[in-house]
Amino acid sequence: MKEKLALLLGCLFFGIGLITAQTQKITGVVISEDDKQPVVGASIVVKGTTLGTITDVDGHFTLLNVPSSVKTLQISYIGMKTEVVPVKPSIKVILKSDSQLMDEVVVVGYGSARKLGSVVGSVTTVGSEKIANKPAANAGDALQGQIAGLQVFTPSGEPSETVVMRLRGVSSINSNTEPLFILDGSPISSGAFTALNPNDIESMTVLKDASSTAIYGSRAANGVVIMTSKKGKRGQKARVSLNALYGWSKMTGDNINMMNAEQWLNFQEMLDPGKTYDDAFQQRKKFYVDNGISTDWADVFFGDAKPTQQYDINVVGGTEGINYYISFGHYDTDGIMDDSSMRRETLRSNVEVKITDWLKAGINLNLSYKRYRTTAFGTEANSVYNKAYAARMYRPDQTVNEILTDEEGNFTGYGKRLNYLEDMGYYNPYYLAELQPNDRSTVRINGNTFFNINPIKGLNIRASQAVDAFDYRNSHKAYPVGPFEGAGVVTESFERYYSFTYTNTAEYKFSLERLHHFTVLVGQESIITKNENFSANSKKMVDARMMLMTSGAESEVPAHSMYKKVFNSYFATISYSYDDRYYVDLAGRRDGSSLFAKNNQWANFYSVGAMWNMGKEAFLQNVLWLDDLQLKISYGTTGNSGITPYNALALVSSGLKYNGQPGIAPTTVGNDDLTWESMKTLNVGISTKVFNRLSIDLEFYNRHTEDMLMAYPLSYTTGHGNSVENVASMRNRGFDLTLGVDVLKTKVFLWSISGNLNYNKNEITKLFNGLDEYTLPDTGLKMQVGKPWGEYYYVRWAGVDPRDGYNMWYDKDGNLTKKYSEDDAVFVGKQRYAPWSGGFGTQLSWKGISVSADFSFILGQYMMNNERYFTENPTFAGSDNQTTEMLTMWQKPGDITNVAIPDSPVQFDSHLLENASFMRMKNLTVGYTFPAKWIQRTGVLSSARVYFVGRNLLTVTKYKGYDPEVDSNIQLGNYPNTKQYSFGVELIF
């Protein structure tokens, strides 16, 4: 019995020893490279098993019973690069910041991403920290002031408004001037910006010179903006992020003072002294003044704060075979005008699968639904029902609500809202907006799929298919009530757009003798686009309950239009580098487009660029204060095909063309020689970093546009007003300067300052038909060789003669005259397009507190303030409100004033031309991230942050209108821009 027991115990201890020998204990610590502090909550996973743990408050971890066969551990943490390390009993792991790595790699075109230090072309990247969690529906709004040479305008406070972008000046007069937009490798239209959730964007990269843009050929004359959406990483632990933001919007401001009721009534006496003795007028004036009755129409129409809210949730992660990013976003905002709003839902799914060691596949998909309203009459600049215009023109003695009085006529308060404003003879705009709802909706999809084959080392063969498509619907009604009694209207409009892009590339990377590095890429791309519109209306509805189109007594011929266009392209690039010191890039592309004449549909574009990385040279290695120094030069051609389809063809249309009889008639002339607008660009740059703190980038460029696509004026005896021709040339020349300095860098405190500046000089170098000049009627603009496009051409106002109160002007020769003549118009030296632009900002962080402030500015921009033609004009002063400037109107000899007597009519001259330069605090963000030790104790959260975001909080300008950010030569009735105050919380699980 004892022998059996001894044998049993022996076997037991032997088994325990065997099991112990097959497992092991691993301990370690995880440290952040940035601040050398412990990383709390880092994920530790035993590769090939389900074993894992997280680090404690001191960054330590312990793994028990780890199989001896295990060779590696995977360590990951939010915002840091995942590390894979060999198994040892005791391990110390240092994690690097992932944002740092993202800054080092950029996507610049077809093929794989490249390290920023190896990019020959002019490239600037803005990361997600500048884009995410901003209270604007348009992701492009965050780029304002961030990139030297890129001007970004949000011209309206309408919630659904898109942005306008312009890179390094205006490169064309009649053709498209916006950059090419690329999302995850595929082209999209600018309208897609409002369909994207900014929190899904990882980065935006702007390509500015020919070396970086020529690979995109005919679409890249105005630069390229590449957007990259967020994606998961292989082996990344699943992470759930929840973000909520709530705030409110207000008008940015107003630099003009309109009269109140007392001032306006007093001014009526100035215009007509007889009113001083008019008992009825004096009684009415006394009633309004004594009771303080006065209406500020700007406050009525857009004085209230309106809510904005945004909610986002995303899941990101990956295994060894698949990585994913899935998100849902909800955005809801009301415009500062009551009848404008926007609601958007977005769903994004980015998935990449490693099928085998040599085959990968993936899909990037964004689906959005947008429902919105735009303010009634907003596109009718000087309509009395356009609220922006009405806020200027409506009389201050007209009230919104009825005035209540007692039996003796004493004021007792206000009653119900007035639907008809009797003193002015207008309907209340609110009432008309309620009777005429205008509901719009857009369903949009942006997606691409790809297959990537890696048959041998260094060779990647990729096929991708992309779509940018939307369905748009607009439903407009005018209920048969009040002013539309018996005349109700229903209009239904539909639009469907799609653009399919098929791209096939083969990229091969190889090295010789470890010093010579080559990348060769060849590719083919096809883009097929179709757009179709249809609208119909029905009239004379008689019952507001029956508003289907079949309920109308009359209808018109429906409107129907359609276009198709096709691009086919072949391209190639060769990149060479030697010892990380010398770089050469060559690119070529052949594009074919259905937009041009049959014999001119194909064109070739190319670029060559070189970079000398001087900082790697041996003779600079002992210069300890020099961290980096690079010289760049590039030259190449790109093209512009931004015209509407079928301009090359002579078109006809049918209808009631001949004295009310049906028939067919010519509508366009056509042009058998129509071809590409081309641009030749030279770029020279230097970039450096010194003392490990100060970085400087300076670039000079010269862009010359040839064969410019323009509307060539024709004699009306031809039956046509113009045709599209390649007839002019233009040059843009200037520089970009970007500075950045780390003022303080310690373990707990960081402070950096950055700034950028662009100067651009535009000049027309050739016009059509041998002409040196051509005046555009009724625009105040003139084209002239040697002058910039956009310099104003007006009669110069010389002030008011203090002797008699009459307006004075300068004639062409500079002599004073009181006779106004359009023949005296001259260039006034003021430009519609700003020659100077830029931005600056600062970022501070201390422990968990962070502050970021970004400013943008535009200098040298002028704009005609058309509102002042109506609000500072005695002709309209008897029926419409005026600015307080009118109270200084000339009264007697010797008066010094800018307001002439009523007998001297106001003219559309240079006195309405205002300096629309501005500086604006674009974004202010103040945040607090709770200490990791606190958060880990919840057992659920891994990070928590609260923050405040302000947008457009401060605007400095001399412009007297609502807002100077109107990208136009003239401003009248524009929806005022907005500023936002928002608070948010971000939780990561």
Side-chain angles (χ1 to χ4, degrees), residues 752-799:
S752 63
I753 298 174
S754 60
N756 66 82
L757 177 68
N758 167 264
Y759 171 74
N760 183 77
K761 179 177 175 57
N762 176 278
E763 183 181 341
I764 297 173
T765 56
K766 178 186 174 183
L767 283 176
F768 43 79
N769 214 26
L771 296 176
D772 288 332
E773 59 182 39
Y774 180 73
T775 302
L776 300 175
D778 303 320
T779 64
L781 298 174
K782 179 181 180 179
M783 294 178 284
Q784 181 170 310
V785 174
K787 287 286 188 177
W789 164 237
E791 182 172 345
Y792 289 100
Y793 189 76
Y794 279 106
V795 178
R796 294 167 295 171
W797 182 68

Side-chain angles (χ1 to χ4, degrees), residues 637-653:
T637 61
T638 51
N640 191 345
S641 56
I643 56 174
T644 56
Y646 311 124
N647 276 293
L649 303 178
L651 302 179
V652 297
S653 64

Side-chain angles (χ1 to χ4, degrees), residues 454 456-461 505-511 517-522 573 575:
N454 182 212
I456 61 174
K457 182 180 179 180
L459 176 61
N460 280 291
I461 302 172
T505 60
E507 181 185 50
Y508 184 49
K509 293 184 177 182
F510 63 95
S511 300
H517 305 286
F518 295 86
T519 300
V520 180
L521 181 142
V522 294
T573 64
S575 298

Side-chain angles (χ1 to χ4, degrees), residues 801-804 890 892-897:
D801 190 336
R803 295 169 297 180
D804 56 16
W890 189 93
K892 61 183 184 306
D895 284 350
I896 305 299
T897 180

